[in-house]
Amino acid sequence: MLLVLFKKFLGKRQSHHPEPADTPEEIVIRIQEGDLRLRNQFITDYQPYVAKVTSRFCKRYVDPSRDDEFSIALSAFNEAINQFSPQAGRSFLGFAEQVMRRRLIDYVRKEQRFSQQLPYSAFEVEDEEDNVVNPVEVHQAIEQYEKQRGMEERRGEIMDLNRALSEFGIQFADLVDASPKHDDSRQALFGIAKKLSADTELMRLMLTKRMLPIKELLDIVSVSRKTLERNRKFIIAVALVYHGPFPYLRDYLHIKDEEEGGDAH
């Protein structure tokens, strides 16, 4: 899907460019005189610039196809076209960046419901391009973006784990019923899964045969075959998390381990 969007984006940029000699300021003046078609093309051509400004504000790559921050900045870019005045003596792009930053700050304020105990305007400074920047608000914006990014990555890990589980004939929803109800039983299974994930040969066997290597596992754990068979889905899922590229889920399991008493022996 992302590849399709990327190709479409490139395709749009390949047609009806303004004349190379036209400056952004000259183009904006023509747009303000009523050239709607030029406005649409101008906004399309400067989407990479909008994405760059937005990413710099967020201190993180912003995906134009899915991030709200990009849409807000793009709308602010359009707003800047309407508000720009050549008589002010500033470049259009510098003016547009200031408008975009202000709209992004407004968005972050609204999303986080910032406390107004201390007026943020007290922290405003000007950067090398005379744009007003508020370090406190930018810091808050970065924290909000990192929180949203973490949520996206956790969702991505869950989807990846679900695909890995499907190769064992396990659905992610199955884990709710498969999870032991008692803490001591759960901790014992965490310990078994950790031993399994740490054993290169056993993990290779499990991943190759797409099944829990019960016979081999009995040699290194002190539980019955019946216990392993009954908790097969849970052990496989936890072992995949400990063994695979799932840092968020792994951190969650580590936290639960500490909350519930550490590893079982």
Side-chain angles (χ1 to χ4, degrees):
M1 183 61 182
L2 292 178
L3 180 59
V4 172
L5 291 173
F6 185 65
K7 288 182 177 179
K8 286 184 177 180
F9 176 68
L10 290 179
K12 289 181 179 179
R13 294 194 62 212
Q14 291 171 353
S15 58
H16 307 298
H17 287 278
E19 291 298 323
D22 291 344
T23 65
E25 292 76 18
E26 292 171 338
I27 295 173
V28 169
I29 292 173
R30 288 165 55 193
I31 291 172
Q32 291 176 344
E33 291 172 350
D35 193 335
L36 180 60
R37 185 167 176 268
L38 182 60
R39 176 192 289 266
N40 293 337
Q41 186 58 53
F42 183 64
I43 292 174
T44 298
D45 288 344
Y46 275 87
Q47 283 186 4
Y49 171 76
V50 173
K52 179 181 178 181
V53 170
T54 310
S55 296
R56 186 162 62 236
F57 175 87
C58 295
K59 304 296 183 184
R60 176 77 168 84
Y61 170 72
V62 172
D63 187 345
S65 69
R66 67 179 183 180
D67 289 329
D68 291 340
E69 290 88 346
F70 176 79
S71 298
I72 290 165
L74 194 64
S75 176
F77 185 84
N78 182 58
E79 178 185 344
I81 294 175
N82 298 332
Q83 296 179 353
F84 179 68
S85 173
Q87 289 72 33
R90 298 192 60 184
S91 71
F92 169 75
L93 295 183
F95 173 74
E97 180 168 352
Q98 181 178 3
V99 175
M100 285 187 282
R101 284 182 174 181
R102 288 189 177 278
R103 294 298 169 263
L104 287 167
I105 287 172
D106 290 343
Y107 167 76
V108 173
R109 276 176 169 167
K110 180 180 179 182
E111 288 297 305
Q112 276 203 308
R113 289 177 167 81
F114 287 157
S115 169
Q116 298 300 318
Q117 294 177 356
L118 181 64
Y120 288 158
S121 58
F123 297 95
E124 289 185 349
V125 296
E126 290 189 352
D127 63 11
E128 65 277 3
E129 298 178 359
D130 297 327
N131 295 312
V132 177
V133 182
N134 192 312
V136 175
E137 292 172 333
V138 171
H139 177 71
Q140 294 281 10
I142 294 171
E143 288 185 343
Q144 173 68 7
Y145 192 92
E146 290 297 324
K147 180 180 178 181
Q148 292 176 345
R149 183 188 66 170
M151 292 174 61
E152 288 293 331
E153 292 184 355
R154 279 191 291 272
R155 281 195 288 267
E157 285 190 11
I158 291 174
M159 292 174 63
D160 290 341
L161 178 59
N162 193 38
R163 283 191 287 268
L165 288 171
S166 67
E167 297 181 359
F168 292 84
I170 303 173
Q171 298 297 317
F172 198 81
D174 295 342
L175 300 181
V176 176
D177 294 329
S179 177
K181 302 301 184 291
H182 300 291
D183 288 347
D184 56 346
S185 298
R186 187 161 50 249
Q187 286 304 305
L189 295 181
F190 275 132
I192 293 171
K194 280 187 175 181
K195 288 181 179 180
L196 171 59
S197 66
D199 191 307
T200 304
E201 183 58 29
L202 286 186
M203 280 303 298
R204 185 195 63 78
L205 193 60
M206 187 183 88
L207 295 173
T208 301
K209 294 189 174 182
R210 299 293 189 265
M211 60 185 295
L212 187 66
I214 293 177
K215 179 181 178 181
E216 292 78 8
L217 199 52
L218 286 170
D219 292 334
I220 63 172
V221 299
S222 56
V223 297
S224 67
R225 172 182 289 271
K226 184 177 179 181
T227 297
L228 295 180
E229 291 174 344
R230 184 171 59 244
N231 296 284
R232 175 185 65 86
K233 294 180 180 180
F234 185 85
I235 295 172
I236 289 174
V238 176
L240 287 173
V241 171
Y242 281 129
H243 181 265
F246 305 110
Y248 282 96
L249 295 179
R250 193 155 51 244
D251 284 346
Y252 175 76
L253 291 182
H254 176 68
I255 291 171
K256 295 299 288 182
D257 281 349
E258 293 191 347
E259 288 178 348
E260 296 171 0
D263 295 345
H265 295 286

